[in-house]
Amino acid sequence: MHGPGLLDGYGRVARDLRVSLTDRCNLRCTYCMPADGLAWLPTEQTLTDAEVARVIAVAVERLGVTRIRFTGGEPLLRPGLERIVAAAADLRGPDGRPELALTTNGLGLDKRIESLAAAGLDRVNISLDSLDPVRYARLARRDRLPDVLTSIDAVERVGLRPLKVNAVIMRGENEPDIVPLAEFCLARGHQLRFIEQMPLGPHGEWDRSQMVTAAEILGALGERFALTPLDEPRGAAPAELWAVAADAAQPGGRIGVIASVTNPFCGACDRTRVTADGQVRTCLFSRTETDLRGILRSGGSDDDLVAAWTGAHARKAKAHGIDEPGFVQPQRTMSAIGG
């Protein structure tokens, strides 16, 4: 690595890269996109496997990235996913091999988890917003809960640990699932993460007053479990972790709550993002992007990629600004940005 890597104007250094491999998804979750989907990117506008691999190599070898998470849309819809994972697993930066993770809705993961593990994938995050088939189908607009549970079983068999489960709680929808999801994950030794709904879904549909807050989630959990905040540095991790005491029904463990809205962690942010069409975003809520695809396709050098990326990161905003009067939701939704 040459220089300080991805350093911004507030002294934060990005070590965590989120790479979106597609904006397409086979679910239509209500908090993410409209029922009829979105206008997907044309294939020719998305980065090729080779272009993704080159961007990742620059990030690891030149910019000090130590963790890579593959996202979407739904990254399992990317045919070359295993090739991309394998290329990333071969990289070595100043701190060695990067940690490789995948965030997925789980559909079809059971059929590919062995090949992904063989390619070098270290761990998986699976989205699961309800254990009730009716509520799951209503939120995802697809009746696919059995497929997700099958994939969780498959990850358990392969042994990728820790398996993290992500849940967005929606008022009037899946609040009854807070405790059952916790019991399910604790019993299996998985790490559950509750996530506050963010203004990254269909435009005009997010209402902060209707958002289920981290405090409400913790209140519901506290009625069932004995919770203790972990007495250890959180660092740049987005989740605040709580220790759950064992009882007669479950062995105890940890539960995280990601309060991006009510208790943002912008001051410790160490993330940078590349969209499926090769745009650097320094924050989920950025309204500006820096084009790497144009550099890649015009014969630009790795030095050119480094210059563009470090320049973009130097201009990273201090915070996402959701609570500021002038906040405007990004034009792209979550599926088009990458989680």
Side-chain angles (χ1 to χ4, degrees), residues 215-250:
E216 291 176 276
I217 292 169
L218 288 169
L221 292 170
E223 293 180 3
R224 164 63 182 86
F225 306 104
L227 301 175
T228 306
L230 286 187
D231 185 21
E232 59 185 46
R234 177 174 168 181
E240 182 179 7
L241 295 179
W242 296 75
V244 181
D247 57 36
Q250 52 82 30

Side-chain angles (χ1 to χ4, degrees), residues 186-243:
L186 289 166
R188 290 170 170 248
H190 304 323
Q191 295 188 15
L192 176 61
R193 299 289 189 271
F194 289 107
I195 305 172
E196 288 182 336
Q197 184 195 7
M198 294 177 283
L200 289 169
H203 283 258
E205 295 189 12
W206 185 76
D207 181 353
R208 176 166 179 163
S209 68
Q210 292 301 305
M211 182 189 73
V212 179
T213 66
E216 291 176 276
I217 292 169
L218 288 169
L221 292 170
E223 293 180 3
R224 164 63 182 86
F225 306 104
L227 301 175
T228 306
L230 286 187
D231 185 21
E232 59 185 46
R234 177 174 168 181
E240 182 179 7
L241 295 179
W242 296 75

